[in-house]
Amino acid sequence: MLTMVGAPVQAELPSVLRVSGDVTAESYKGLETFLLNSMDTVVGLKISFPQSESVETGDLNASADDGKFVAYLSGPDSETEIVANEGFSFQHGSHIFDGFFVVKSGGMNQGIISLFLEPADEASVLLSGAPVKDISIDRLDPTIRKQD
């Protein structure tokens, strides 16, 4: 009998997608869709939200009170809020996310879906061998949603 000896076959790991750029009222919807499509998945974020609290419909709101970050678009058409308790900093008037996160459902409150960002250990993500693919926030398409 002939025995084949070779290197073990490794399954190709899926890419970890990392979004970078400044979050604006215009780019929020693309980020929202990306996060909705990434539930229970590790994602990379290198994004900044300018500190703002506006009541004008369509404006981006981003603030951190008592260590809790919340961002959303003002108005009746708002579908989501992005929430984090850690993994962000405040620099030069903006809330900065620079790391890896697991996107979790924070539930629904008054018809608004809460997208909770739970920090993931960066070393574990990088040592996993999964390739990291960078995407500009301006390239995220808000119309591409996963079907359940």
Side-chain angles (χ1 to χ4, degrees), residues 1-5:
M1 283 196 118
L2 197 56
T3 305
M4 295 186 67
V5 178

Side-chain angles (χ1 to χ4, degrees), residues 1-82:
M1 283 196 118
L2 197 56
T3 305
M4 295 186 67
V5 178
V9 177
Q10 292 183 348
E12 187 173 321
L13 295 171
S15 295
V16 174
L17 302 177
R18 179 171 47 200
V19 175
S20 61
D22 297 326
V23 182
T24 64
E26 292 76 30
S27 65
Y28 182 90
K29 285 290 193 181
L31 178 63
E32 169 186 78
T33 299
F34 171 77
L35 295 175
L36 284 167
N37 290 342
S38 301
M39 286 289 193
D40 298 318
T41 303
V42 174
V43 298
L45 298 176
K46 198 169 194 154
I47 57 176
S48 66
F49 291 84
Q51 170 75 21
S52 62
E53 295 181 41
S54 173
V55 295
E56 296 295 319
T57 297
D59 282 355
L60 176 65
N61 281 269
S63 62
D65 293 318
D66 296 326
K68 181 179 182 177
F69 172 83
V70 178
Y72 60 93
L73 292 179
S74 293
D77 295 333
S78 184
E79 294 182 50
T80 66
E81 64 181 3
I82 298 170

Side-chain angles (χ1 to χ4, degrees), residues 62-120:
S63 62
D65 293 318
D66 296 326
K68 181 179 182 177
F69 172 83
V70 178
Y72 60 93
L73 292 179
S74 293
D77 295 333
S78 184
E79 294 182 50
T80 66
E81 64 181 3
I82 298 170
V83 179
N85 291 330
E86 55 186 319
F88 62 94
S89 63
F90 188 75
Q91 300 172 22
H92 309 292
S94 293
H95 302 279
I96 309 296
F97 287 80
D98 187 3
F100 294 94
F101 299 85
V102 177
V103 182
K104 297 284 190 180
S105 172
M108 186 175 280
N109 184 18
Q110 298 179 347
I112 303 295
I113 300 167
S114 186
L115 300 168
F116 185 74
L117 301 177
E118 183 177 293

